[in-house]
Amino acid sequence: MKKEPFNRILDVNNFSFSYENPEAPLLNNLLFSLYENETVLLIGASGSGKSSLALCLNGLYPEAVEGVSSGNIYYRGKNIREFQKGELNQRIGIVFQDPESQFCMIKVEDELAFTLENRKIPSLEMPQRISQVLHDVGMEGVEKKKIHELSGGQKQKVALASVLLLEPELLILDEPTANLDPLSRVEFIDLLNSLRQKRDLALLIIEHEPDDWLDMTDRVLALGSSGKLIAQGPANTIFTKHAARLKKEGVFFPKCYMPENKNFGVRAPLPSSEEIISVKDLTFKRKRHTVLQNVNLNIHCGEFVSIAGENGAGKSTLLQLMAGLLPYKKGKILFFDRELQQWNQKELRKQIGYVFQNPEHQFITDTVIDELTYGMKLNGYTEEKQEDAATRLMKQFHLMHHRFSNPFSLSGGQKRRLSVAAMLDQTPDILFFDEPTFGQDASTTGELMHIVRQLQAEYDVTIVFVTHDMDIVDSTDRAIVLHDRNIIFNGNPEDLWEREDVINQARLRLPYRIRGIQQEGVIHDLIH
Amino acid sequence: MTNQWKLKEIVLMAVLGVVFGIIYLGFFLIGQGFRNVLAPFGLGQFGYEIIFGIWFIVSIIAAYIIRKPGVAFTSELIAGVVQVLLGTTAGPQLILSAAIQGAGAELAFALTRWKDYRLRILVFAGMGAAIFSFVWNLYSAGNIALAPWLLTSMLVVRLISGALLAGVLGKWMSDQLAKTGVLRGYALGKERRKQREKGAI
Amino acid sequence: MISSINPAMKAVTIMVPGLLLSFTFDVFTPLVYFIFILIITFTLADIRPMTWLKIFSPFVLVALTSAWMATLYANQTFSYGNVLFTIWGVDITEGSLMTGISLGLRSLCFVALSLLFALTTDSTKFMLSLMQQFKLPPKITFGILAGYRFLPVFRSEYQILKQAHRIRGADREPGIKGRIKQFRRYAIPLLANGLRKSERVAIAMESKGFTGDKERTHYHQMSIQTKDWLFFILFAGMLAITIAVSYSLGYLNIFGRQF
């Protein structure tokens, strides 16, 4: 049985908020309450103002952005405008999405002390509190470590620890796992689940992919695209009764409530046996540290290959090597039977495309159109040909209305599409993707996979993906798993899911398709 | 003064200090390139004079984006502190030099009562910083020992460098940044929006 | 040893000779003080000589450049004494040569002092002691630290940008125009991301209850102790002694005037 919520912590009363124009508010006339000890999931379409709501609740907005608000928010019956600066922040803590930009100190202990100093806790008590909270989040003994040397999952735990030191009553989590690998994500969620019980915390979780949180959720709030609250209630009613409405508003669904499992497209016809890239006995060292040791790998024309593995296993390095972005000394990489290093750079760049994790890193011009024609200009296309090709790409990638927009000012999904389109000024033979879905929402991911499938089917482009997303791995022709400087699995994804040893070693996770079946199996076993 | 500033504005100044800390390195190499060409004629220092203006650019960018009194001075001071944190070989004295340059840039904005941020004022600010730093270097770098004709030509080069590399380049970069949409929460971004809205009507 | 000196005090100490040496234009004073700095660096400072040499050596060339320029183009006040030789029609006098060497040595002193500071000082503690001893407002202190923390992020971003541009063939543009474009292509994405990050981190800090309030407790209690004063006295005292000896031996030269 779930705990019965008693007292209200927050009352949001006809609250509206906008950055600039009060006529078209981002958050529109919200009315809801949050109770002690309850866990609430806040869902909504991209850009529906979920993150802004979090910052309104702890009183930082509208002031921090000079926005406009109307209506009231009460914390324990007291209007939040009446709180001293900084006072409310200590009762309502927030953990943010990006692990890079929520710290101000270099070392873990200093970051945690920062919170305690803000609360004016006596210096003598600090070391004990710091080691206690690190113990609570399962990070004992990292006091003296530098934060930027920790992994993403560890950083988020430190972020959580620093917020827990506020001893808040309500903890808001703004997509805290969006940038984590699958296993770190599960670990983080488990950690929160046990903490909320130990510490009597109320949680407000903002998530694009709510599946893993559903077990601990008491209630769901759904924000619509116009900034209105369109539904609230227990998960099983929200995702069934209000399903049609939510879909219309572009809210993402947990996979378990989807009518049929949406797979990332069908497999393309079998690839040819011709090898586009073959890696032979490749060893790569960075300074004295060996990143890859004696790696052997063949990729066939028209194939869709995924490379998975833990952070630091050398996935991106392997990808950069195969794309000719890093020089190597030991071993061979053949591209169409010719050593990579013997290729003319210009020729090579025509045939190899590479899409980076952060689309912004690829942008080099001021407008979408210039971005698309950049490579064509370098290769001496006529104006006419440039225009034709660019128009075709803008149509295909739904960028027609953004012809003269600055690439940086596009939305996340548009940036992603543009970064791929810019690689297609001439159809490359092979396209590399370095974690292109990292930190992106479900619809952007779905869109990207659709495009990739199209490229593979229509133009016979070979695709290589480095990814943490096991649902994507599941949909590829071949999965390669890197671990400890070497390939420990190379074969059909179907077979990978059978190899528990590989999954555990490389800190992978089964795709939803298989997990779903297993869960049903457990329930089935319980009933019988 | 600092109470009127938002924390994000202060962090912005520090981030400018860090990013330009990286960019300065690139310019330092260019300066060394010039130096190597000019050195045999005893004009090696001129190599650095040509690129000197880039040291004031943080003042110009910060003031142009944030538009509050004291920003030109403080941002340069903060950039100086950041340089020291980055381990500059100019040492803690750099904080003092930065303060003097910043004061020079601030003077130009102060004369307009912090209301005018057109290109000409930004250019004046860059030249103000150039003059202040030049006077300071007469003492700190021992330039006072040099022949008057040489000093005059150094001053001219530094003024031009301050006007172009700080004033013009600073404005251009800020405008480029504004186009990316990241300045929405700052004075420059807001001004742009107002202009757009007016244009729309 | 020197790494345990209060960082703010250390900065002030380093600044004293850093400012006052600029008065002198003889060879003896900066030379003696330079030797003194070297002795301190390699006895009390726990700095690896190789590390030091690697950073220091390029500045010898810079020092030579400025020395050569001052030698060639010293003004009348500084070109006292006999003409030693003539080059390109310029007379090199004893005075101008001395001035040049003095300026070169002085700049080496500055670099050595800076390294003594930079290689023995923890950035966080420097900022904290500026706040605790010199009353730098917390808002500025932690604002600077938050920005400084992004350094490794920017460094790796810079590397990625380089690769991304290579993929797009953007590294192949020749000429000055190409160079300018290239500068823009690095600077704008770095700054745009930096700005977004600075907004986010400021919000995160305020979410942790930071208000800029000057009343706060300190995890690292920084203080100025006897040894910090001794350090100050050592550097200031040595400067005074050097100048005094220089004066008594008749070497001292301030702004071209012999004393």
Short mmCIF file of all heavy atoms in Angstrom, two decimals, chain C residues 1-5 10 35-49 115-117 119-121 227 230-232 234-235:
data_model
loop_
_atom_site.label_atom_id
_atom_site.label_comp_id
_atom_site.label_asym_id
_atom_site.label_seq_id
_atom_site.Cartn_x
_atom_site.Cartn_y
_atom_site.Cartn_z
N MET C 1 56.40 24.03 1.51
CA MET C 1 56.67 25.08 2.50
C MET C 1 55.97 26.38 2.08
O MET C 1 55.09 26.87 2.77
CB MET C 1 58.20 25.27 2.60
CG MET C 1 58.64 26.54 3.29
SD MET C 1 58.24 26.52 5.05
CE MET C 1 58.43 28.23 5.47
N ILE C 2 56.33 26.87 0.88
CA ILE C 2 55.70 28.10 0.43
C ILE C 2 54.25 27.86 0.06
O ILE C 2 53.43 28.79 0.07
CB ILE C 2 56.53 28.72 -0.72
CG1 ILE C 2 57.82 29.26 -0.12
CG2 ILE C 2 55.79 29.83 -1.44
CD1 ILE C 2 58.71 30.00 -1.01
N SER C 3 53.92 26.61 -0.24
CA SER C 3 52.52 26.33 -0.55
C SER C 3 51.63 26.49 0.68
O SER C 3 50.42 26.55 0.54
CB SER C 3 52.38 24.93 -1.14
OG SER C 3 52.99 24.00 -0.31
N SER C 4 52.22 26.56 1.88
CA SER C 4 51.38 26.69 3.07
C SER C 4 51.20 28.16 3.47
O SER C 4 50.48 28.46 4.42
CB SER C 4 52.00 25.92 4.24
OG SER C 4 53.15 26.58 4.69
N ILE C 5 51.83 29.07 2.74
CA ILE C 5 51.65 30.50 3.05
C ILE C 5 50.24 30.93 2.62
O ILE C 5 49.75 30.49 1.58
CB ILE C 5 52.70 31.34 2.28
CG1 ILE C 5 54.12 30.94 2.66
CG2 ILE C 5 52.48 32.84 2.48
CD1 ILE C 5 54.52 31.29 4.05
N LYS C 10 50.48 35.88 0.07
CA LYS C 10 51.55 35.54 -0.87
C LYS C 10 51.46 36.45 -2.10
O LYS C 10 52.47 36.97 -2.58
CB LYS C 10 51.40 34.07 -1.30
CG LYS C 10 52.69 33.46 -1.81
CD LYS C 10 52.46 32.12 -2.49
CE LYS C 10 51.84 31.08 -1.58
NZ LYS C 10 51.55 29.83 -2.30
N ILE C 35 68.64 36.23 -8.38
CA ILE C 35 69.32 35.10 -7.74
C ILE C 35 68.62 34.71 -6.45
O ILE C 35 68.40 33.52 -6.17
CB ILE C 35 70.81 35.46 -7.49
CG1 ILE C 35 71.51 35.60 -8.84
CG2 ILE C 35 71.48 34.39 -6.64
CD1 ILE C 35 72.88 36.24 -8.75
N PHE C 36 68.20 35.74 -5.70
CA PHE C 36 67.47 35.47 -4.46
C PHE C 36 66.19 34.67 -4.73
O PHE C 36 65.90 33.68 -4.06
CB PHE C 36 67.16 36.81 -3.77
CG PHE C 36 66.05 36.73 -2.74
CD1 PHE C 36 66.25 36.08 -1.52
CD2 PHE C 36 64.80 37.31 -2.99
CE1 PHE C 36 65.23 36.01 -0.58
CE2 PHE C 36 63.79 37.24 -2.06
CZ PHE C 36 64.00 36.59 -0.86
N ILE C 37 65.44 35.08 -5.77
CA ILE C 37 64.18 34.36 -6.08
C ILE C 37 64.49 32.91 -6.46
O ILE C 37 63.81 31.98 -6.03
CB ILE C 37 63.42 35.04 -7.25
CG1 ILE C 37 63.10 36.48 -6.90
CG2 ILE C 37 62.12 34.31 -7.55
CD1 ILE C 37 62.65 37.30 -8.11
N LEU C 38 65.55 32.72 -7.25
CA LEU C 38 65.91 31.37 -7.65
C LEU C 38 66.24 30.51 -6.43
O LEU C 38 65.79 29.36 -6.33
CB LEU C 38 67.14 31.39 -8.58
CG LEU C 38 66.89 31.92 -9.99
CD1 LEU C 38 68.12 31.70 -10.86
CD2 LEU C 38 65.69 31.23 -10.62
N ILE C 39 67.00 31.09 -5.48
CA ILE C 39 67.36 30.32 -4.29
C ILE C 39 66.10 29.89 -3.54
O ILE C 39 65.93 28.73 -3.16
CB ILE C 39 68.29 31.15 -3.37
CG1 ILE C 39 69.65 31.32 -4.08
CG2 ILE C 39 68.48 30.46 -2.02
CD1 ILE C 39 70.57 32.30 -3.39
N ILE C 40 65.19 30.85 -3.35
CA ILE C 40 63.94 30.53 -2.65
C ILE C 40 63.17 29.45 -3.42
O ILE C 40 62.70 28.47 -2.84
CB ILE C 40 63.04 31.79 -2.53
CG1 ILE C 40 63.73 32.87 -1.70
CG2 ILE C 40 61.69 31.44 -1.94
CD1 ILE C 40 63.79 32.60 -0.22
N THR C 41 63.06 29.63 -4.75
CA THR C 41 62.29 28.69 -5.57
C THR C 41 62.80 27.25 -5.39
O THR C 41 62.02 26.32 -5.26
CB THR C 41 62.37 29.09 -7.05
OG1 THR C 41 61.90 30.42 -7.19
CG2 THR C 41 61.54 28.17 -7.92
N PHE C 42 64.12 27.10 -5.38
CA PHE C 42 64.63 25.73 -5.37
C PHE C 42 64.99 25.21 -3.98
O PHE C 42 65.43 24.08 -3.84
CB PHE C 42 65.83 25.63 -6.31
CG PHE C 42 65.40 25.85 -7.74
CD1 PHE C 42 65.85 26.95 -8.46
CD2 PHE C 42 64.49 24.99 -8.33
CE1 PHE C 42 65.43 27.16 -9.75
CE2 PHE C 42 64.05 25.20 -9.63
CZ PHE C 42 64.52 26.29 -10.34
N THR C 43 64.80 26.03 -2.95
CA THR C 43 65.03 25.49 -1.61
C THR C 43 63.73 25.38 -0.82
O THR C 43 63.46 24.36 -0.21
CB THR C 43 66.00 26.37 -0.80
OG1 THR C 43 65.51 27.71 -0.81
CG2 THR C 43 67.39 26.32 -1.40
N LEU C 44 62.90 26.40 -0.88
CA LEU C 44 61.73 26.42 0.00
C LEU C 44 60.41 26.06 -0.70
O LEU C 44 59.40 25.93 -0.05
CB LEU C 44 61.57 27.82 0.62
CG LEU C 44 62.69 28.26 1.57
CD1 LEU C 44 62.43 29.68 2.04
CD2 LEU C 44 62.80 27.32 2.75
N ALA C 45 60.45 25.91 -2.01
CA ALA C 45 59.15 25.91 -2.68
C ALA C 45 58.68 24.55 -3.21
O ALA C 45 57.59 24.44 -3.72
CB ALA C 45 59.15 26.91 -3.81
N ASP C 46 59.49 23.53 -3.13
CA ASP C 46 59.01 22.23 -3.55
C ASP C 46 58.50 22.24 -5.00
O ASP C 46 57.46 21.68 -5.32
CB ASP C 46 57.88 21.77 -2.61
CG ASP C 46 57.84 20.24 -2.55
OD1 ASP C 46 58.82 19.63 -2.99
OD2 ASP C 46 56.82 19.70 -2.09
N ILE C 47 59.25 22.92 -5.87
CA ILE C 47 58.89 22.95 -7.29
C ILE C 47 59.88 22.06 -8.04
O ILE C 47 61.09 22.15 -7.79
CB ILE C 47 58.98 24.39 -7.84
CG1 ILE C 47 57.91 25.26 -7.16
CG2 ILE C 47 58.79 24.41 -9.35
CD1 ILE C 47 58.05 26.73 -7.48
N ARG C 48 59.38 21.22 -8.95
CA ARG C 48 60.30 20.36 -9.70
C ARG C 48 61.08 21.22 -10.70
O ARG C 48 60.47 21.92 -11.52
CB ARG C 48 59.52 19.28 -10.45
CG ARG C 48 58.80 18.31 -9.53
CD ARG C 48 59.13 16.84 -9.82
NE ARG C 48 59.16 16.51 -11.24
CZ ARG C 48 58.08 16.13 -11.92
NH1 ARG C 48 56.91 16.04 -11.32
NH2 ARG C 48 58.19 15.81 -13.19
N PRO C 49 62.43 21.17 -10.65
CA PRO C 49 63.24 22.03 -11.52
C PRO C 49 62.88 21.89 -13.00
O PRO C 49 62.84 22.88 -13.72
CB PRO C 49 64.66 21.55 -11.27
CG PRO C 49 64.62 20.95 -9.90
CD PRO C 49 63.26 20.38 -9.74
N LEU C 115 55.95 32.50 -11.25
CA LEU C 115 55.98 31.04 -11.17
C LEU C 115 56.00 30.59 -9.72
O LEU C 115 55.36 29.60 -9.36
CB LEU C 115 57.21 30.49 -11.91
CG LEU C 115 57.15 30.61 -13.43
CD1 LEU C 115 58.36 29.95 -14.06
CD2 LEU C 115 55.87 29.97 -13.96
N LEU C 116 56.74 31.33 -8.90
CA LEU C 116 56.78 30.98 -7.48
C LEU C 116 55.37 31.01 -6.89
O LEU C 116 55.00 30.18 -6.08
CB LEU C 116 57.69 31.97 -6.74
CG LEU C 116 57.96 31.68 -5.27
CD1 LEU C 116 58.64 30.33 -5.11
CD2 LEU C 116 58.82 32.78 -4.65
N PHE C 117 54.58 31.95 -7.36
CA PHE C 117 53.20 32.03 -6.90
C PHE C 117 52.34 30.94 -7.54
O PHE C 117 51.71 30.13 -6.86
CB PHE C 117 52.61 33.40 -7.23
CG PHE C 117 51.19 33.56 -6.79
CD1 PHE C 117 50.88 33.89 -5.48
CD2 PHE C 117 50.15 33.36 -7.69
CE1 PHE C 117 49.56 34.02 -5.07
CE2 PHE C 117 48.82 33.49 -7.29
CZ PHE C 117 48.54 33.82 -5.98
N LEU C 119 52.95 28.13 -9.09
CA LEU C 119 53.24 26.70 -8.89
C LEU C 119 53.07 26.26 -7.44
O LEU C 119 53.22 25.08 -7.13
CB LEU C 119 54.65 26.37 -9.38
CG LEU C 119 54.89 26.56 -10.88
CD1 LEU C 119 56.35 26.31 -11.23
CD2 LEU C 119 53.99 25.64 -11.69
N THR C 120 52.80 27.20 -6.55
CA THR C 120 52.64 26.79 -5.14
C THR C 120 51.29 27.17 -4.57
O THR C 120 51.08 27.08 -3.38
CB THR C 120 53.72 27.44 -4.25
OG1 THR C 120 53.53 28.86 -4.29
CG2 THR C 120 55.12 27.09 -4.68
N THR C 121 50.36 27.62 -5.42
CA THR C 121 49.12 28.15 -4.87
C THR C 121 47.91 27.41 -5.40
O THR C 121 47.78 27.17 -6.60
CB THR C 121 48.97 29.66 -5.22
OG1 THR C 121 50.17 30.32 -4.82
CG2 THR C 121 47.81 30.27 -4.50
N LYS C 227 54.07 33.10 10.25
CA LYS C 227 54.92 32.68 9.13
C LYS C 227 54.59 33.46 7.85
O LYS C 227 55.46 33.70 7.02
CB LYS C 227 54.82 31.17 8.91
CG LYS C 227 53.48 30.67 8.41
CD LYS C 227 53.65 29.22 7.94
CE LYS C 227 52.45 28.75 7.15
NZ LYS C 227 51.31 28.25 7.82
N LEU C 230 56.39 36.63 8.21
CA LEU C 230 57.82 36.38 7.99
C LEU C 230 58.13 36.30 6.51
O LEU C 230 59.12 36.84 6.03
CB LEU C 230 58.24 35.07 8.68
CG LEU C 230 58.39 35.16 10.20
CD1 LEU C 230 58.74 33.79 10.79
CD2 LEU C 230 59.46 36.19 10.56
N PHE C 231 57.22 35.62 5.78
CA PHE C 231 57.39 35.49 4.33
C PHE C 231 57.39 36.87 3.67
O PHE C 231 58.25 37.19 2.84
CB PHE C 231 56.24 34.63 3.78
CG PHE C 231 56.29 34.42 2.29
CD1 PHE C 231 57.22 33.55 1.75
CD2 PHE C 231 55.40 35.06 1.45
CE1 PHE C 231 57.26 33.34 0.37
CE2 PHE C 231 55.44 34.86 0.08
CZ PHE C 231 56.37 33.99 -0.46
N PHE C 232 56.45 37.69 4.11
CA PHE C 232 56.37 39.05 3.58
C PHE C 232 57.65 39.83 3.88
O PHE C 232 58.23 40.47 3.00
CB PHE C 232 55.15 39.77 4.20
CG PHE C 232 55.00 41.19 3.74
CD1 PHE C 232 54.35 41.48 2.55
CD2 PHE C 232 55.50 42.24 4.50
CE1 PHE C 232 54.21 42.79 2.12
CE2 PHE C 232 55.37 43.55 4.08
CZ PHE C 232 54.72 43.82 2.89
N LEU C 234 60.57 38.69 4.57
CA LEU C 234 61.71 38.13 3.83
C LEU C 234 61.83 38.77 2.45
O LEU C 234 62.90 39.23 2.06
CB LEU C 234 61.53 36.61 3.70
CG LEU C 234 62.57 35.87 2.86
CD1 LEU C 234 63.93 35.92 3.52
CD2 LEU C 234 62.15 34.41 2.65
N PHE C 235 60.69 38.82 1.73
CA PHE C 235 60.75 39.34 0.36
C PHE C 235 60.92 40.86 0.33
O PHE C 235 61.69 41.38 -0.47
CB PHE C 235 59.50 38.92 -0.43
CG PHE C 235 59.65 37.58 -1.06
CD1 PHE C 235 59.59 36.43 -0.30
CD2 PHE C 235 59.91 37.46 -2.42
CE1 PHE C 235 59.77 35.18 -0.87
CE2 PHE C 235 60.09 36.22 -3.00
CZ PHE C 235 60.01 35.08 -2.23
#
